[in-house]
Amino acid sequence: MDLALSTISPGATRMIRLDHSHVLVTFHRYKIDTNPRVKQGLVDTICTALEIHAQLEEEIFYPAIREVTDNEAIRKSVPEHDEMRRLIARLRGMEPTDPAYDDTVMELMRDVLHHVADEETILLPEAERILADRLGELGAAMTKRRMQLVLPRSGEIACDMARSIPTPVYLLGGIAGLACLAAFGMMRRDDRSWR
Ligand SMILES: [Fe+2]
Ligand SMILES: [Fe+2]
């Protein structure tokens, strides 16, 4: 299993950059005049991706970095994640039509851009210098943990992605319904297979 995972998984730093790109590409689809339903789909997709990404970094990547180095970027990483979680919790409690919704999304993304800049210009190059021979193993561990974190949330993730697609409502209703049904059906099958 681990051998197969290490064959298909990207290395840890490549995976982290891919996660960052996914969040930024999703954010770039968010416009002030975007339909509220699409806004909520985009924001929920971003929030879930950030929650899973931050957990993977905190459980697997940051501890490996701390074993070999200590610098300002690694020391402030977890407090910065906590600030993102605070904004994510606020967004999850708001309607996309709330007058403060856009500003809260922009505040979250301002924090994310700052955090990603530090990771991509300090932490990841440092990891590639001092942890080069462990990046494959760390990437495999992160992929394994990601699967555990995503599986129970696969229905939610599918519904958020369906809502984030700006198609006519009549078409979207069908797509979202099918995506949710398919996702929940998969989860139920998975539940049975564990018994
Ligand atoms: Fe990151
Ligand atoms: Fe991070």
Side-chain angles (χ1 to χ4, degrees):
M1 174 68 169
D2 286 347
L3 182 62
L5 271 183
S6 59
T7 306
I8 60 168
S9 294
T13 52
R14 178 167 152 69
M15 181 188 303
I16 287 171
R17 288 191 183 94
L18 288 170
D19 279 356
H20 293 168
S21 297
H22 170 239
V23 166
L24 296 183
V25 165
T26 308
F27 170 59
H28 289 161
R29 292 171 51 208
Y30 186 104
K31 304 287 186 295
I32 296 302
D33 61 354
T34 299
N35 175 298
R37 174 188 47 75
V38 175
K39 277 186 178 179
Q40 186 149 36
L42 292 169
V43 168
D44 287 344
T45 297
I46 289 169
C47 291
T48 303
L50 288 173
E51 286 166 340
I52 291 171
H53 179 80
Q55 191 167 346
L56 292 175
E57 287 183 336
E58 290 178 15
E59 290 182 1
I60 298 165
F61 185 68
Y62 293 166
I65 294 259
R66 284 194 206 96
E67 281 177 19
V68 288
T69 190
D70 179 40
N71 59 37
E72 176 72 9
I74 189 72
R75 279 196 295 273
K76 63 185 190 177
S77 290
V78 174
E80 288 180 358
H81 283 183
D82 288 342
E83 173 60 11
M84 286 181 229
R85 290 187 179 104
R86 185 184 68 78
L87 291 169
I88 287 169
R90 191 194 293 174
L91 280 167
R92 288 205 188 279
M94 293 169 82
E95 293 296 325
T97 49
D98 189 307
Y101 196 79
D102 289 335
D103 284 348
T104 309
V105 172
M106 298 306 154
E107 188 180 354
L108 172 64
M109 290 311 302
R110 200 160 47 243
D111 285 354
V112 168
L113 288 166
H114 171 87
H115 183 77
V116 163
D118 277 354
E119 288 193 343
E120 297 209 6
T121 62
I122 301 171
L123 273 193
L124 301 189
E126 182 79 343
E128 285 159 353
R129 274 191 291 270
I130 58 182
L131 285 175
D133 59 344
R134 292 197 58 204
L135 295 179
E137 160 214 334
L138 293 169
M142 289 166 76
T143 295
K144 185 175 180 181
R145 182 67 177 130
R146 182 189 300 274
M147 287 158 62
Q148 293 169 341
L149 296 174
V150 165
L151 188 62
R153 303 182 70 173
S154 54
E156 170 197 346
I157 291 167
C159 293
D160 292 341
M161 286 178 67
R163 271 187 295 138
S164 75
I165 300 168
T167 50
V169 173
Y170 67 88
L171 181 58
L172 185 101
I175 293 171
L178 285 172
C180 294
L181 281 172
F184 285 127
M186 281 171 59
M187 289 170 68
R188 286 170 57 189
R189 270 202 306 279
D190 289 336
D191 285 348
R192 280 198 300 273
S193 70
W194 289 348
R195 284 176 198 146

